Amino acid sequence: MPPCFVWPNVSDMNDGANRDATKRSARERLQLERERQKAKDKRRRTLVVSAAVVGVLGLAAVVGLIAANTGKGGSSAKGGPLVAPSGATGTDALAIQTGKSEAPSTLTVWEDFRCPACKSFETNYRDTVHELEGKGLLKVEYHLVTLIDGNMGGSGSLRSANAAACAQDAGTFSPYHDVLFENQPEETDDAYGKNAKLLELAGKVDGLDTPAFRTCVEDGTHDSWVKKSQDAFRAGSFRGTPTVLLDGKDIFGDKANPLTPQKLKEKVEAAGTGGAKTSASPSASASPSPSGSAKASSGRAASPAAPSSSASARSAGRTSTGSAGSADRSPAHSGMPMDH
């Protein structure tokens, strides 16, 4: 029997071929895995970038919406609604009225509690105004503005005006209004920007410092109302504060013959002669004629209600110069803001 012939190293050759095939297969699988991982990483990066872009665009949309609504009427800096104080009158309920509503004469006053010229007006005319209000001859419509905040920074004009509106809610506007001017800080001192100071001054008015008043002040309940009043002031093209109108006419308009507290009193009493029967004062209705009224007026001028008339007149002349926006302003009103 012929011997069985076996090719030398055939088994070894097969083993080598198998090993090579196994190595190639492993490399191919590794390469495929790497390709899949790269594709996966690429998809993840794409998703992350896309999400970031969407987030930025969404944030931009929100910021744009906020900016578009900033400054619109009807809401305060805290987003609250526009709330007029109790009993507010006039166009858009922007005036706080003192005196009797049936009074024959109306004094319209645009004021800023930080304004030195406004304090000068109040100091010189306060007693006369209160006297005429008490006689039922005059009512006053106060419009509160924030001119100094805009010119010098701070928030004292806004905060004090809101506090005064809160006092109106409590039925004590007039005495608190007077206290604010009597304690007015320097024009550059934003002391009224601190609610604590406004609450401290409320202690000078009987019955005002209550939890309701404190909440109203601290929450800025009437902030939006004050801002709307400032908008109305600008729209009215007034030249500065104080702007004071008697029955619609600027009382400081005649620089050649500036008004004084005594002249204001005479004008109001003369206007009220025909309607004296509506006055609560018996003496006001006792005057039989205009000449009698004039005598009564001159007699009252000598009463303690109007002391140092000449000094008031001089100061009133300076006030009228400043409030009328004249370029020749006195040192007493050199700090008076102008709405320019």
Side-chain angles (χ1 to χ4, degrees):
M1 173 180 290
C4 181
F5 181 79
V6 179
W7 290 100
N9 300 322
V10 170
S11 177
D12 293 340
M13 292 175 63
N14 288 337
D15 291 342
N18 290 335
R19 284 195 297 272
D20 290 341
T22 300
K23 289 180 180 179
R24 285 196 302 273
S25 178
R27 285 196 298 271
E28 290 172 356
R29 287 196 302 271
L30 181 61
Q31 183 64 29
L32 288 173
E33 182 62 28
R34 287 174 178 171
E35 293 297 333
R36 284 195 294 268
Q37 187 62 39
K38 287 180 180 180
K40 185 177 180 179
D41 291 343
K42 184 177 181 180
R43 286 195 300 272
R44 184 169 60 250
R45 286 195 299 273
T46 300
L47 289 173
V48 170
V49 172
S50 299
V53 170
V54 171
V56 170
L57 291 176
L59 179 61
V62 171
V63 172
L65 182 61
I66 293 173
N69 285 282
T70 298
K72 289 185 177 180
S75 64
S76 71
K78 296 182 179 180
L82 192 154
V83 180
S86 176
T89 64
T91 304
D92 295 329
L94 292 178
I96 293 177
Q97 181 180 294
T98 61
K100 298 179 179 179
S101 59
E102 67 271 17
S105 292
T106 302
L107 196 68
T108 303
V109 182
W110 296 81
E111 289 183 322
D112 184 327
F113 288 111
R114 288 181 70 186
C115 165
C118 298
K119 178 178 180 178
S120 179
F121 167 76
E122 287 294 336
T123 299
N124 291 310
Y125 285 80
R126 180 183 298 119
D127 290 344
T128 301
V129 168
H130 287 336
E131 179 185 350
L132 293 171
E133 286 179 324
K135 292 178 179 179
L137 297 175
L138 181 71
K139 62 178 176 288
V140 185
E141 294 179 347
Y142 290 98
H143 296 261
L144 310 180
V145 300
T146 60
L147 211 58
I148 303 296
D149 284 358
N151 289 353
M152 306 202 67
S155 61
S157 300
L158 174 62
R159 299 263 53 80
S160 56
N162 171 69
C166 294
Q168 169 68 10
D169 290 339
T172 57
F173 170 81
S174 188
Y176 188 62
H177 164 275
D178 293 350
V179 164
L180 288 174
F181 276 117
E182 288 166 359
N183 294 272
Q184 184 189 78
E186 292 295 322
E187 187 178 14
T188 55
D189 180 2
D190 193 30
Y192 282 176
K194 299 178 178 62
N195 288 334
K197 180 64 176 178
L198 300 171
L199 294 172
E200 174 191 330
L201 292 177
K204 296 179 178 290
V205 178
D206 291 342
L208 178 56
D209 189 5
T210 64
F213 175 78
R214 285 178 168 267
T215 298
C216 182
V217 170
E218 292 168 352
D219 288 353
T221 299
H222 301 296
D223 281 359
S224 292
W225 176 82
V226 176
K227 291 174 183 177
K228 190 170 183 179
S229 181
Q230 171 64 23
D231 291 342
F233 178 77
R234 290 190 178 279
S237 299
F238 299 116
R239 290 172 288 181
T241 53
T243 290
V244 186
L245 312 173
L246 178 60
D247 295 326
K249 184 178 180 180
D250 187 350
I251 69 171
F252 301 131
D254 186 357
K255 299 181 182 65
N257 184 28
L259 193 73
T260 66
Q262 178 60 27
K263 290 178 182 178
L264 173 64
K265 184 176 181 179
E266 291 170 357
K267 283 178 176 289
V268 171
E269 288 181 335
T273 300
K277 292 180 180 180
T278 63
S279 171
S281 171
S283 61
S285 61
S287 175
S289 67
S291 60
S293 176
K295 292 179 181 178
S297 174
S298 61
R300 282 190 292 271
S303 69
S308 74
S309 170
S310 60
S312 296
R314 288 194 298 274
S315 180
R318 290 195 297 272
T319 304
S320 65
T321 301
S323 64
S326 169
D328 183 20
R329 286 152 54 190
S330 71
H333 295 88
S334 61
M336 189 194 76
M338 302 305 294
D339 190 30
H340 292 169

